[in-house]
Amino acid sequence: MIPAEFDYVAPESLDAALAALREGGEDAKVLAGGHSLVPLMKLRLAAPTLLVDLRRVPGLTGIQRANGTVRIGAMTRHHAVATAPELGLAAKAAATIADQQVRNRGTIGGTIAHGDPASDLPAVLLALEGSVMVRGEREREIAATDLFQDYLTTAIADGEIVTEVRLPAGDGWGAGYAKFNRRVEDWAMVAVCASVRRAADGSCADVRVGLTNMSGVPLRANAVEQALRGGGLDAQAIAAAAGLAAEGTDPPEDLNASSDYKRHLARVLCRRALEEAAAAA
Ligand SMILES: Cc1cc2nc3c(=O)[nH]c(=O)nc-3n(C[C@H](O)[C@H](O)[C@H](O)COP(=O)(O)OP(=O)(O)OC[C@H]3O[C@@H](n4cnc5c(N)ncnc54)[C@H](O)[C@@H]3O)c2cc1C
């Protein structure tokens, strides 16, 4: 399919990109990797009149760590995240995104701004209690808990650009990621991310669990976390907690799976992700 006609600019500074967005009004869109936006345009599900390409804007790529926080530039490609093992859970999740071609183009800022509940990194950001920095008329930080508002809807306003994704450095945490899809390059039918920190006696000091594609937004598996926190991390405790993974979820039925099957997948994948995280912690 051929997209509707649009104008295109590739500004060379963030201020120029923000100005172009402002001038373009509500039908102007940021273009990052284009791997979600361009397919939507080709299907005519999106018809922006202006694309503001961020590829020439300096300072939006790279991974830096300071004071216990990892800062990932919004234009950092999935491949760079997937091949940075120090990113722990985010690296594991990014490595499962589609295929190498998609990972070479898609960006962390794009996938977070797009807010697709079937995408891998939004649930990781939520579970790890990360945030995004955005620039519009002013700079502000949006916590992941406030970010994902509805299906494909985030708290990022028109005219704002995500500049950075922030995650806590995962020192002392073990990470596990379990995803189920029919073909390796497909989006998750369901995916579960888990991060576990052990106390000195080996018990569970803290745990974070995120669910992908179990609702219109990424979710935190609160019941699972509560069941594990402060207790054991043996196979029995993990299996019992993982049995609660579908609590409070509302998975939409789709061509691949019924809601009940997704709930079943969440429980199975939660156990696998937790076992992997506990073994690494
Ligand atoms: C065949 C295929 C398979 C895929 N499989 C998976 C998968 O398994 N898992 C997965 O997670 N993803 C998958 N994706 C999606 C991929 O990860 C995309 O790259 C990602 O969703 C969007 O990132 P992007 O950089 O391409 O953003 P774009 O497509 O350029 O933009 C997406 C949206 O975000 C906005 N946006 C982008 N950057 C910013 C910014 N910095 N500030 C504000 N707004 C911004 C755009 O305006 C647009 O609305 C797949 C894509 C394809 C084509």
Side-chain angles (χ1 to χ4, degrees):
M1 291 271 292
I2 299 168
E5 201 173 305
F6 59 90
D7 290 326
Y8 169 91
V9 290
E12 298 194 359
S13 74
L14 187 57
D15 285 339
L18 286 165
L21 269 185
R22 241 186 340 265
E23 279 160 29
E26 63 179 17
D27 290 328
K29 277 256 168 213
V30 168
L31 179 69
H35 270 50
S36 289
L37 182 54
V38 173
L40 288 177
M41 289 169 65
K42 286 185 166 181
L43 292 168
R44 303 239 173 166
L45 295 171
T49 50
L50 171 68
L51 289 186
V52 180
D53 193 340
L54 297 183
R55 74 193 160 90
R56 291 198 183 135
V57 174
L60 293 183
T61 55
I63 301 168
Q64 286 170 348
R65 179 190 162 133
N67 304 324
T69 300
V70 179
R71 300 151 70 125
I72 308 170
M75 284 295 283
T76 305
R77 311 281 171 182
H78 299 321
H79 173 74
V81 175
T83 52
E86 69 277 14
L87 290 180
L89 193 51
K92 279 179 187 270
T96 73
I97 294 175
D99 50 32
Q100 191 62 50
Q101 268 177 307
V102 174
R103 292 195 293 275
N104 282 345
R105 295 295 306 164
T107 66
I108 190 164
T111 193
I112 298 296
H114 192 53
D116 185 338
S119 290
D120 294 276
L121 291 171
V124 171
L125 188 75
L126 184 73
L128 297 184
E129 299 179 357
S131 64
V132 293
M133 296 303 297
V134 299
R135 269 280 308 278
E137 281 177 16
R138 59 185 180 89
E139 185 173 54
R140 63 183 181 122
E141 181 169 12
I142 310 174
T145 41
D146 301 326
L147 184 61
F148 303 107
Q149 297 186 330
D150 205 343
Y151 182 71
L152 300 185
T153 306
T154 70
I156 302 159
D158 286 344
E160 282 186 325
I161 293 178
V162 179
T163 54
E164 192 174 276
V165 174
R166 294 185 174 180
L167 294 170
D171 300 341
W173 292 75
Y177 196 70
K179 173 172 175 174
F180 192 80
N181 44 16
R182 281 199 303 165
R183 300 171 309 169
V184 74
E185 68 270 27
D186 284 346
W187 268 267
M189 244 182 247
V190 174
V192 180
C193 63
S195 191
V196 171
R197 188 165 58 81
R198 287 182 186 271
D201 64 0
S203 65
C204 176
D206 205 355
V207 57
R208 311 278 168 80
V209 179
L211 304 172
T212 289
N213 217 15
M214 288 297 288
S215 172
V217 288
L219 295 177
R220 190 102 174 244
N222 293 313
V224 176
E225 294 182 5
Q226 275 163 25
L228 280 176
R229 215 170 266 130
L233 280 170
D234 53 89
Q236 242 178 340
I238 286 178
L244 305 171
E247 271 195 18
T249 65
D250 179 23
E253 187 171 54
D254 57 33
L255 285 176
N256 287 313
S258 67
S259 301
D260 271 351
Y261 184 52
K262 286 186 178 178
R263 289 190 193 97
H264 166 74
L265 283 176
R267 292 187 280 266
V268 173
L269 297 173
C270 185
R271 179 175 50 75
R272 290 181 191 166
L274 282 168
E275 282 171 352
E276 184 186 353

